[in-house]
Amino acid sequence: MTGNTPSGLFPIRELVRRTGVNASTLRAWENRHGLLAPTRMPSGHRLYGEGDIRRIQRIQDFLAQGLSLGELAPLLAQASTDSGTQSIHSQAGGTSPTPHSAWNGYLAETLKALEDFSTERLDALYSEACAVYPIDIVTDNLLIPMLEQVGERWNRRPSGIAEEHFFSAWLRNKLGARLHHAGSLGQGPQLILACLPHEHHEIGLLMFALLALQRGYRVIYLGANMPIRQIMHVALHTRAQAVVLASRGTENRPELLADIEWLSQAADTPVFVGGHFAEQFHQRLEQIGAIPMGDNMGLGVRLLEIRLREWAKNRTRI
């Protein structure tokens, strides 16, 4: 027993830290969908245990495969008595859900709001999704598919270019505001995030920043078109534990690779590179001491966690 908290239980802030799911989403899963049943203290405070962490991990796995929150209660009940070796598809009766099937309605309504140039409806749909789903699920199932659809149809609609500009501006502002409000919540290692020089599209980096914040990292966000050699001064001044660079383009390759090599050798911290640039020059980046992350943000965050743990262990041996 610690204070008035029963042994083995912990408050919601600890659950947020250990799962990366924010408190408002956890409360929505409990109150709206009955997916969590925390212990309640006489004061009304919720307490959680290790079983809740495993349950949330199952929920995240199910959501990532396209199931809706309304479909999860029986699957969670099945999983609690299952050995854990069955796949979600076999638990669901042998039928594979259509990828992102639970998000078709969100996508259709968001596209309609975009076609009407309605900021209010875009705001409402995004807020509703974020109220019940973690930001990584919203990113994978709504934001990225929306960007792909907008990019595919910009030249097929009379207002396609205007729609692309409108949605990009709205999303950049929305993600930036979320980053601003959540920026002080992280308590973990500090990251410097920047787009490579000549890269002006920063939406992907903003999404990555929010995923990193959800995982407990602190973020210094430098944004688009950042000169690489100036990042060194930021790293020295802030003692950040990692630098993450990103770019969709591959222009100015020799100059960029030379500067990334310089930063990788000069900075006393790992340098990660994401986006299409990292996919294109994966082998070369490894040769010059950088860590290519590719363009899958979820996998990128996990790679970041693994490499930073390795880095910390190596530093303690020196």
Side-chain angles (χ1 to χ4, degrees), residues 216-232:
Y217 291 98
R218 294 173 293 150
V219 170
I220 300 171
Y221 186 80
L222 301 182
N225 191 28
M226 183 66 203
I228 293 175
R229 291 184 178 252
Q230 289 203 10
I231 295 173
M232 183 66 185

Side-chain angles (χ1 to χ4, degrees), residues 11-293:
I12 194 169
R13 64 177 178 274
E14 178 65 12
L15 189 66
V16 170
R17 187 187 71 81
R18 294 178 64 177
T19 65
V21 181
N22 65 46
S24 62
T25 298
L26 293 171
R27 286 191 282 265
W29 287 356
E30 175 191 347
N31 297 328
R32 298 188 195 181
H33 302 279
L35 300 179
L36 295 173
T39 300
R40 288 294 192 116
M41 297 293 285
S43 62
H45 289 108
R46 297 169 172 85
L47 294 178
Y48 302 85
E50 296 296 328
D52 294 297
I53 293 177
R54 291 191 292 274
R55 191 174 182 86
I56 289 167
Q57 290 169 343
R58 292 190 190 103
I59 292 172
Q60 291 174 306
D61 289 341
F62 292 167
L63 292 175
Q65 296 196 37
L67 294 175
S68 70
L69 287 166
E71 296 173 290
L72 298 193
L75 292 175
L76 290 169
Q78 171 87 17
S80 66
T81 58
D82 193 76
S83 65
T85 58
Q86 281 185 291
S87 72
I88 178 176
H89 297 159
S90 64
Q91 292 174 26
T95 58
S96 299
T98 302
H100 311 305
S101 60
W103 294 87
N104 288 342
Y106 274 118
L107 284 168
E109 291 184 48
T110 303
L111 276 171
K112 185 63 170 65
L114 172 59
E115 292 168 2
D116 294 338
F117 296 94
S118 174
T119 299
E120 293 78 9
R121 279 161 52 203
L122 287 175
D123 286 344
L125 288 163
Y126 178 73
S127 297
E128 178 184 331
C130 289
V132 292
Y133 294 98
I135 187 62
D136 56 338
I137 300 296
V138 176
T139 297
D140 288 344
N141 292 279
L142 180 61
L143 300 183
I144 291 177
M146 271 297 299
L147 287 169
E148 290 172 348
Q149 291 203 34
V150 170
E152 288 171 0
R153 63 190 219 151
W154 69 270
N155 63 344
R156 293 190 279 107
R157 291 176 53 81
S159 58
I161 296 176
E163 290 173 4
E164 182 184 35
H165 282 228
F166 178 76
F167 185 72
S168 296
W170 172 84
L171 184 55
R172 189 182 304 108
N173 290 335
K174 187 62 63 177
L175 296 176
R178 194 176 183 91
L179 178 64
H180 172 74
H181 291 299
S184 61
L185 300 180
Q187 301 295 321
Q190 187 157 251
L191 313 176
I192 298 172
L193 271 59
C195 290
L196 289 172
H198 315 294
E199 177 57 78
H200 297 276
H201 297 89
E202 59 179 313
I203 287 177
L205 189 68
L206 282 166
M207 291 178 177
F208 185 88
L210 290 175
L211 292 181
L213 285 170
Q214 183 188 41
R215 302 293 295 181
Y217 291 98
R218 294 173 293 150
V219 170
I220 300 171
Y221 186 80
L222 301 182
N225 191 28
M226 183 66 203
I228 293 175
R229 291 184 178 252
Q230 289 203 10
I231 295 173
M232 183 66 185
H233 300 284
V234 183
L236 290 173
H237 185 73
T238 62
R239 298 183 179 178
Q241 282 85 356
V243 175
V244 179
L245 307 172
S247 178
R248 299 192 311 175
T250 58
E251 64 272 14
N252 301 297
R253 175 174 59 93
E255 176 187 340
L256 292 180
L257 288 170
D259 279 350
I260 292 171
E261 181 176 15
W262 174 85
L263 182 63
S264 299
Q265 294 176 355
D268 189 25
T269 186
V271 176
F272 297 82
V273 184
H276 183 61
F277 186 91
E279 292 281 351
Q280 187 75 17
F281 303 112
H282 186 281
Q283 185 175 1
R284 180 63 182 135
L285 287 167
E286 288 184 330
Q287 291 172 347
I288 63 178
I291 304 169
M293 301 173 75

